[in-house]
Amino acid sequence: QAAADPMSSSDAPEDGPKETSSVSQNISDADAFKILLEMKMKKRQKKPTLPSTVTELGTEDGSQVYVVGTAHFSDSSKKDVVKTIQEVQPDVVVVELCQYRVSMLKMDEKTLLKEAKEINLEKLQQAIKQNGVMSGLMQMLLLKVSAHITEQLGMAPGGEFREAFKEASKVPFCKFHLGDRPIPVTFKRAIAALSFWQKVKLAWGLCFLSDPISKDDVEKCKQKDLLEQMMAEMIGEFPDLHRTIVSERDIYLTYMLKQAAKQIELPRASETEPRKYIPAVVVGVVGMGHVPGIEKNWNSDLNIQEIMSVPPPSASSKVFKFVIKATVFGLMGYGCYRIGQRTVQFFLSMPAAQSYLQKLTEIRSQH
């Protein structure tokens, strides 16, 4: 706006040319793009002052990637994300979210806090319908871990992602990408990697999680995200599960960051003007536990087709699924039986019913 209308009518000299404002208001889109781009480049720091949680990576064509390692329940991490985006003025911001969790970006903190604490039958049914019985149960158990932290700290998860979304919208020509593998794929691959007894043991550990957590614990875990550390402690004895939930997602996040770091095309004044490309600047916002894996995979040729496939259910999965269904239907049947039994007892205890039964007995004795 300042470039399009450099002076207001009250400040313009009376004897000066009156065409100035009309000329500036007729600025072309291409010129406006160039002005905004120049403003962005001037604001972009050549040597940005970055938090200690930021890891710098580069590509062969000169693009720069700044990976902010965060703790998912940390106020300090939110500040780190804001400062990094303001300092580097990125072209793309990539966050550790997939389309199944994108709703948390636009929900307010109060609603998210309420949603995170409430794990009910409706959510369980939705998770099972979306991901299948086994993956749905796994998702709900992991949500219970998150809900436990939420209840202990009074803080909704994903604050750093919401801050990244807000700050990215303030940067001209900045795109916002979801960089995590879809949840259904992760959970289905995780379930397929476990034996029947491993599934039972993991579910038991998640169900009875109750250790107290403080905000100091979160900040102490800044070098290794609290949620991921708690999960790592529980899945440490299951290397295949660690591979699907952590290592494979390290590969996927690295791939998405490298895709975002491709050179960007500059705005053109016309179709005849030759295309010009410049190195991109990217900010990645991921859990601190993924940063070492991203660094490890950065210079490797990555193919994500293999880690996107969902293996067919194993025999143990089919048995576990049958046991779960049998248990659910058994409990429902027993519940109906108990309700029916109590209903009959209540009906028979009513005076009218007792009078009717007495008359019926008398009639039968007369015959």
Side-chain angles (χ1 to χ4, degrees), residues 1-7 20-21 23-28 31-39:
Q1 290 177 346
D5 191 6
M7 61 179 72
T20 305
S21 60
V23 170
S24 61
Q25 288 173 357
N26 290 333
I27 187 171
S28 67
D31 289 338
F33 285 155
K34 286 182 178 179
I35 291 170
L36 282 172
L37 188 62
E38 287 175 5
M39 290 171 63

Side-chain angles (χ1 to χ4, degrees), residues 82-150:
V82 171
K83 181 173 178 59
T84 303
I85 293 175
Q86 290 176 348
E87 286 283 317
V88 306
Q89 293 290 296
D91 304 301
V92 186
V93 171
V94 182
V95 296
E96 186 198 328
L97 286 177
C98 70
Q99 64 266 36
Y100 292 91
R101 292 186 293 159
V102 73
S103 60
M104 73 163 55
L105 293 176
K106 295 185 178 181
M107 293 171 70
D108 60 89
E109 192 81 11
K110 187 177 179 181
T111 305
L112 274 167
L113 195 58
K114 183 180 177 182
E115 286 284 322
K117 288 181 179 179
E118 292 180 355
I119 298 181
N120 49 37
L121 184 60
E122 184 181 348
K123 285 187 178 180
L124 177 59
Q125 290 173 335
Q126 186 178 358
I128 291 175
K129 183 179 179 181
Q130 186 181 75
N131 305 318
V133 175
M134 292 303 305
S135 298
L137 288 171
M138 174 67 77
Q139 182 177 344
M140 292 308 296
L141 289 171
L142 291 176
L143 280 176
K144 185 180 182 298
V145 178
S146 180
H148 172 64
I149 302 174
T150 299

Side-chain angles (χ1 to χ4, degrees), residues 209-227:
L209 177 73
S210 59
D211 294 336
I213 304 162
S214 68
K215 288 191 176 183
D216 289 337
D217 292 332
V218 178
E219 296 306 329
K220 287 176 184 176
C221 293
K222 191 69 177 295
Q223 297 306 313
K224 190 173 184 182
D225 177 51
L226 179 62
L227 180 59

Side-chain angles (χ1 to χ4, degrees), residues 147-210:
H148 172 64
I149 302 174
T150 299
E151 188 175 0
Q152 293 281 317
L153 302 180
M155 183 188 300
E160 73 274 33
F161 302 138
R162 288 189 292 281
E163 290 297 326
F165 183 66
K166 291 176 189 175
E167 287 302 316
S169 67
K170 300 175 186 177
V171 179
F173 311 113
C174 183
K175 297 178 182 179
F176 190 86
H177 288 184
L178 304 175
D180 202 2
R181 184 172 64 179
I183 281 180
V185 176
T186 297
F187 284 135
K188 285 175 182 177
R189 287 183 63 84
I191 290 297
L194 295 177
S195 68
F196 173 78
W197 291 113
Q198 284 178 325
K199 291 168 188 171
V200 172
K201 191 172 183 180
L202 178 65
W204 182 267
L206 290 171
C207 283
F208 291 93
L209 177 73
S210 59

